[in-house]
Amino acid sequence: MYNQALHKTLLEFTQRGIDSSNKEKLGQFIAKHHAADLAGVLERLDPAEALPFFELLPIEEQAEVFGYFNSAFQQEMVDVLSPRRLAELVSVMDADERVDFFNKLDEEHQQAIMPCLAQAEREDIRKLASYREGTVGAVMTSDYAALTADLTVARALEKLRREAPDKETIYNAYVVDEQRRLLGVVSLKDLILARPEAKVQDLMNRGLVVLRAEEPQSEAAAKIARYDLLAIPVINGDDKLAGIVTHDDALDVSVQEATEDFHRMAGMTHKSPGLGEVNMLDASPWLIVQKRLPWLLILVFMNIFSGAGIAFFEDTIEAVVALVFFLPLLIDSGGNAGSQASTLMIRALATGRAHLKDWFALLGKEVGVALLLGGGMALAVSVVGIFRAGPEVAMVVAVAMVCTVLFGSLVGMSLPFVLSKLKLDPATASAPLVTSIADIGGVLIYFSLATWLLRDMIVAAGAG
C-alpha cells in the first residue's frame, strides 16, 4: 500500500535539501519503514531525487529496497548510480535477484561491474545466467544450506550458524555427497531437537520432492503449492544439487504467470517490457498501445468474415428485415458463452485440474451444459421474438440461440486444448479471439437457419 505520509516527508526534504545536520535524523526515519513501502515512494520521485534518500541506507538495505523497484525504475536508477556503487549493490543481492538484475543490464553496464565483483559472485552469475528464461534454473538461488551425511548434529548446527548470514533460508538443509548429489533434507527443527552426537544421516528425509533445472518455472510454483513446502531443491542433468526455489520466489512466479495469462486472455501481446512490470499510472500510452494494438488488428481482419457472411445472406435479410434486430443478441450470446468456457478451461489447465486426456470427457459435459444454457436463453428470447416479429421468426431465433451458444461454448472449451496440444500457451485462446470466432460462426448459423426455415417467406418476398 502506498505510504502517503512518507512521500510527503521526502518531498519536504527534497525542497529543503539534505545536509549534515538532518542527514542522520532522516536516515533513521527512513530505516523505520519497510523496504516495500520505501520503494513504492521512491518510485514516484525522479531517479536523481530518489538517489540521496536511497544512499542514506546501509548497502544491505539498499539491495532490499532495490529488489522492490519495478524493472523500469531499476533501469533508471542504474543510470544515476556510479559503477562502483552499482557493483557494491549487486554483490550484496540475493543470488537469484542478482542474476535477474544482471541479465536486464545492457552490455556496457555488465562489463563495467563484472571486474568489481568477487570471483565467486562472477561464477555464480555465469552459472545462473546460463539457464533459459522461463525455466526453473532461471529463478532458483544458489544461496542454500548444505550438509554432509556424516556430520554430527552439533557440528551441523555450528556450520549452519556460521553460514546463516549468507543463506536465503536455513530452515531446511540439504544433504549431499562428495559429488554434491542430493541425498536428502533435514529440517532445522529436527537438528535442534536431536541429541548433539546423533548423525545427520539418521535424521534426514530421503523422500524428496525435486525439480529439474530445465523444467518450466510454473512447475516450481505448482509443486511448492501442492506439497506445502518452504523451498524445493533443484537438480541438474547430473543429478547434482544446483540450487533451490523458495516459496517467495514461487509466489513471484505465480503472480508473473497469472499476469501473463490475464494479458493474453485480454488479447494483448506479452513481450518485454511487460505491462505486468509497470504501474499502470506510470505506463506510457505508447506502451499500452503496443500491447493492445497487434491483436486488435488481427481481430479486425477476422471480423471481415462476419461482414462477408452478412453480405452473402443479403437476400434473406432483405426479405425478412426483422432478422437484423436479433443479430447482435445472438452473436453476443455465443461469444459470451465461449468466453466463459474458455476462461474455465484455461484456468483448469493452468492449475493442473484438467489435462489433454480429459478433453473428450469434458467435451461431452460441455455439450450438455451448453444445450441447457442455450435452451434457457432460447426460451427467453423466443418470447421477445413472438411480440417483435411473429412465431416464425421467433422459432428461427430460438433454434439459432441454442446452436450459437453450443458452437461458442465448444470453441471456447476446445481451443485451449488445441493450443496445448500444439505446445502453445492455452491463454492465447483469449476472450477476444474466442468471441471473434463465435461471431463468425453465429452469423453463418443464424442466417443459414433463417434461409432454410423461412424459405417460403423469402420466396414470397422475392415474388412480390
Side-chain angles (χ1 to χ4, degrees):
M1 184 178 293
Y2 169 60
N3 192 322
Q4 190 172 6
L6 176 60
H7 190 191
K8 182 180 179 181
T9 301
L10 296 192
L11 285 178
E12 290 174 356
F13 274 99
T14 300
Q15 296 167 356
R16 194 190 327 164
I18 302 174
D19 53 40
S20 56
S21 63
N22 59 25
K23 183 177 292 187
E24 183 178 352
K25 184 178 179 181
L26 178 59
Q28 293 173 351
F29 172 77
I30 291 176
K32 292 178 181 178
H33 293 83
H34 193 280
D37 292 335
L38 186 54
V41 169
L42 292 179
E43 284 178 343
R44 292 174 177 255
L45 303 176
D46 290 332
E49 293 177 337
L51 183 61
F53 301 109
F54 183 72
E55 291 186 333
L56 288 176
L57 298 168
I59 189 65
E60 292 81 7
E61 293 180 30
Q62 287 183 28
E64 187 178 1
V65 171
F66 197 86
Y68 283 107
F69 289 150
N70 63 54
S71 296
F73 194 74
Q74 284 184 346
Q75 295 301 316
E76 293 175 1
M77 287 294 292
V78 165
D79 294 332
V80 297
L81 287 167
S82 66
R84 183 184 63 80
R85 173 62 80 180
L86 188 60
E88 290 176 359
L89 196 63
V90 171
S91 67
V92 298
M93 287 181 177
D94 291 335
D96 51 341
E97 291 184 3
R98 180 192 300 138
V99 72
D100 286 343
F101 173 64
F102 185 83
N103 286 338
K104 293 174 185 175
L105 293 174
D106 56 41
E107 187 175 350
E108 180 183 349
H109 283 105
Q110 288 180 348
Q111 292 178 353
I113 67 172
M114 276 299 253
C116 303
L117 298 176
Q119 177 68 25
E121 291 164 354
R122 293 200 298 268
E123 291 301 321
D124 191 56
I125 287 175
R126 291 191 182 100
K127 182 182 74 172
L128 293 179
S130 66
Y131 293 103
R132 187 166 48 86
E133 190 70 24
T135 63
V136 168
V139 297
M140 71 181 181
T141 177
S142 56
D143 289 338
Y144 57 85
L147 301 171
T148 55
D150 59 342
L151 285 177
T152 63
V153 167
R155 290 181 60 194
L157 287 172
E158 180 59 33
K159 185 173 187 295
L160 292 178
R161 193 176 294 111
R162 288 196 310 269
E163 297 180 356
D166 300 322
K167 304 303 177 186
E168 190 155 338
T169 176
I170 59 167
Y171 295 116
N172 287 320
Y174 298 93
V175 186
V176 296
D177 62 13
E178 292 80 1
Q179 286 75 44
R180 298 201 69 77
R181 285 193 292 266
L182 186 61
L183 302 177
V185 63
V186 60
S187 70
L188 182 60
K189 177 182 177 181
D190 288 341
L191 289 173
I192 292 173
L193 295 177
R195 292 176 291 104
E197 64 274 13
K199 292 292 184 72
V200 169
Q201 63 190 7
D202 299 325
L203 302 174
M204 69 181 185
N205 177 14
R206 300 175 187 270
L208 285 174
V209 177
V210 300
L211 291 164
R212 289 198 168 272
E214 64 274 11
E215 288 187 89
Q217 63 181 18
S218 55
E219 277 298 303
K223 285 189 175 180
I224 283 180
R226 185 182 309 139
Y227 298 104
D228 197 21
L229 301 172
L230 287 174
I232 187 168
V234 181
I235 56 176
N236 58 24
D238 299 325
D239 291 339
K240 294 179 181 178
L241 183 60
I244 62 171
V245 178
T246 56
H247 66 284
D248 55 327
D249 293 326
L251 178 60
D252 291 340
V253 168
S254 295
V255 171
Q256 177 188 340
E257 296 275 332
T259 301
E260 290 178 3
D261 285 350
F262 275 115
H263 285 181
R264 291 193 181 100
M265 288 169 65
M268 296 192 293
T269 57
H270 196 88
K271 295 180 181 178
S272 183
L275 282 178
E277 298 177 344
V278 181
N279 187 314
M280 285 301 295
L281 290 172
D282 300 328
S284 69
W286 176 239
L287 175 61
I288 297 174
V289 169
Q290 281 182 296
K291 298 301 175 183
R292 296 175 62 178
L293 185 60
W295 258 115
L296 290 177
L297 287 175
I298 292 170
L299 296 175
V300 162
F301 288 102
M302 281 188 65
N303 288 328
I304 289 175
F305 291 102
S306 296
I310 293 172
F312 182 80
F313 292 101
E314 187 175 339
D315 292 341
T316 301
I317 296 170
E318 187 176 349
V320 189
V321 178
L323 291 171
V324 177
F325 176 83
F326 298 97
L327 178 60
L329 182 150
L330 285 167
I331 62 175
D332 284 353
S333 296
N336 292 339
S339 297
Q340 285 184 335
S342 173
T343 301
L344 290 172
M345 287 305 106
I346 290 170
R347 185 59 183 165
L349 288 168
T351 57
R353 295 182 179 180
H355 303 86
L356 283 175
K357 61 183 176 63
D358 301 322
W359 176 80
F360 193 73
L362 289 170
L363 181 66
K365 179 181 288 187
E366 188 64 28
V367 168
V369 170
L371 289 174
L372 290 172
L373 292 173
M377 296 168 74
L379 185 62
V381 80
S382 62
V383 175
V384 179
I386 290 172
F387 287 101
R388 182 70 175 77
E392 294 88 353
V393 173
M395 179 183 66
V396 172
V397 173
V399 174
M401 177 63 80
V402 174
C403 293
T404 54
V405 169
L406 177 62
F407 175 75
S409 296
L410 294 184
V411 168
M413 193 225 74
S414 299
L415 197 54
F417 283 95
V418 172
L419 293 170
S420 292
K421 183 69 174 178
L422 297 175
K423 307 298 183 185
L424 299 173
D425 191 336
T428 309
S430 60
L433 176 60
V434 171
T435 300
S436 295
I437 295 173
D439 286 354
I440 296 168
V443 167
L444 297 176
I445 290 169
Y446 180 39
F447 287 120
S448 295
L449 286 170
T451 303
W452 177 49
L453 295 174
L454 301 178
R455 55 188 177 275
D456 293 339
M457 293 177 61
I458 295 169
V459 171

